[in-house]
């Protein structure tokens, strides 16, 4: 009889553990998505808002398969609604328009995290109680306690990993912004010097101006930004030499 209960618990535990693993993975994706959409809502400019909204959108997309395997239909529906809202942020022309979609997605995202927690809890294996299997019941209780500890540690690890990633992203964005300021300062200084030199030469010249196409720093790495502004400096220098050559004619 004890052997029968052992097989019953073993089969049930294996099935539920597989489903619980999917729920744990989905939970991690949804926590990341919620964290990113919160950062988007708290952003003070449209560039950062779109960047974090896109990060949240990607996390929601990654969660869809595990949500289906987990069987958490409510969380899946909320995630799909969040995906639809966040997909509209990229084409928003103003900060206010983008923030409107982000706010709604943030609220739905919070609900999805709550729902996946409910699903994970409901899928936790239960202990089969029987007079003839008291030893097995004790073992299952220990297993359940250990499972809860593991889930808590996984969630904490995911939160720490997400916070570290956010800090790295913010540090990189700051580095990019400072680099752009340095290049723009150098370009402005060169334009001033070039125009003053042309004026001294009494050239009938057209005043040099900065030629700078917009650059999305959220999609460019440091080397790409350097290359962009070095090319601007080269173009400016070439225009200056062309104006000087006209002075000799």
């Amino acid at each position: 009889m004890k052997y029968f209960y052992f097989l019953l618990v073993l089969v049930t535990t294996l099935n539920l553990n597989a489903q619980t693993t999917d729920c744990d993975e989905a939970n991690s994706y949804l926590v990341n998505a919620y964290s990113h959409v919160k950062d988007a809502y708290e952003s003070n400019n449209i560039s950062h808002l779109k960047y974090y909204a896109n990060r949240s959108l990607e996390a929601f997309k990654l969660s869809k398969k595990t949500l289906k395997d987990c069987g958490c239909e409510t969380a899946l529906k909320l995630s799909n609604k969040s995906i639809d809202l966040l997909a509209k942020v990229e084409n928003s022309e103003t900060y206010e328009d983008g923030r409107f979609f982000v706010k709604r997605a943030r609220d739905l995202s919070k609900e999805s995290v709550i729902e996946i927690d409910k699903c994970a809890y409901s899928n936790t294996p239960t202990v089969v109680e029987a007079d003839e299997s008291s030893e097995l019941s004790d073992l299952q209780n220990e297993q359940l306690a250990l499972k809860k500890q593991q889930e808590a540690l996984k969630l904490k690890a995911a939160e720490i990993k997400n916070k570290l990633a956010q800090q790295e992203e913010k540090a990189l964005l700051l580095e990019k912004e400072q680099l752009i300021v340095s290049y723009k300062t150098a370009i402005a200084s060169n334009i001033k010097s070039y125009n003053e030199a042309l004026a001294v030469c009494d050239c009938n010249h057209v005043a040099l101006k900065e030629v700078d196409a917009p650059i999305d720093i959220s999609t460019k790495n440091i080397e790409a930004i350097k290359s962009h502004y070095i090319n601007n400096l080269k173009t400016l220098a070439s225009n200056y030499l062309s104006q000087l050559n006209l002075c000799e004619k």
Side-chain angles (χ1 to χ4, degrees), residues 27-28 31 117 150-160:
N27 187 303
S28 179
V31 168
D117 283 341
Q150 290 174 337
E151 290 174 353
L153 288 173
K154 283 182 181 180
L155 181 59
K156 188 65 177 177
E159 291 175 353
I160 293 174

Side-chain angles (χ1 to χ4, degrees), residues 5 7 9-10 13 16 20 25-26 32 54 66 81 90 93 103 118 126 135 148 154 157 187 192 203 232 241 246:
Y5 279 112
L7 287 179
V9 172
L10 179 62
T13 301
L16 289 176
T20 302
E25 189 173 350
N32 286 338
N54 184 63
T66 50
K81 290 180 180 179
E90 182 62 32
E93 296 182 357
K103 182 180 184 300
K118 292 180 181 177
T126 56
E135 292 181 3
K148 290 181 178 179
K154 283 182 181 180
I187 290 173
K192 181 180 178 181
C203 296
N232 284 357
L241 291 175
L246 291 175

Side-chain angles (χ1 to χ4, degrees), residues 216-230:
D216 184 0
I217 63 174
S218 66
T219 61
K220 302 292 184 182
N221 58 29
I222 294 293
E223 293 305 317
I225 293 174
K226 286 182 178 179
S227 177
H228 174 80
Y229 283 101
I230 288 174

Side-chain angles (χ1 to χ4, degrees), residues 85-149:
L85 289 168
L86 291 171
K88 298 176 182 178
V89 176
E90 182 62 32
N91 294 326
S92 298
E93 296 182 357
T94 66
Y95 170 77
E96 290 74 17
D97 289 342
R99 200 164 188 259
F100 170 77
F101 295 120
V102 165
K103 182 180 184 300
R104 293 175 61 191
R106 181 199 62 176
D107 295 340
L108 291 174
S109 175
K110 183 176 181 180
E111 291 181 27
S112 71
V113 172
I114 294 173
E115 289 300 325
I116 192 64
D117 283 341
K118 292 180 181 177
C119 289
Y121 180 78
S122 65
N123 288 333
T124 301
T126 56
V127 177
V128 176
E129 296 183 359
D131 294 338
E132 295 144 338
S133 59
S134 58
E135 292 181 3
L136 182 60
S137 296
D138 291 340
L139 180 61
Q140 287 297 308
N141 283 327
E142 292 178 7
Q143 183 185 38
L144 180 57
L146 179 60
K147 180 66 176 178
K148 290 181 178 179
Q149 291 176 2

Side-chain angles (χ1 to χ4, degrees), residues 187 191-192 195 206-212 232 235-236 239:
I187 290 173
I191 289 174
K192 181 180 178 181
N195 283 327
V206 178
L208 297 175
K209 297 180 180 179
E210 180 179 0
V211 179
D212 184 22
N232 284 357
T235 300
L236 179 62
N239 292 342

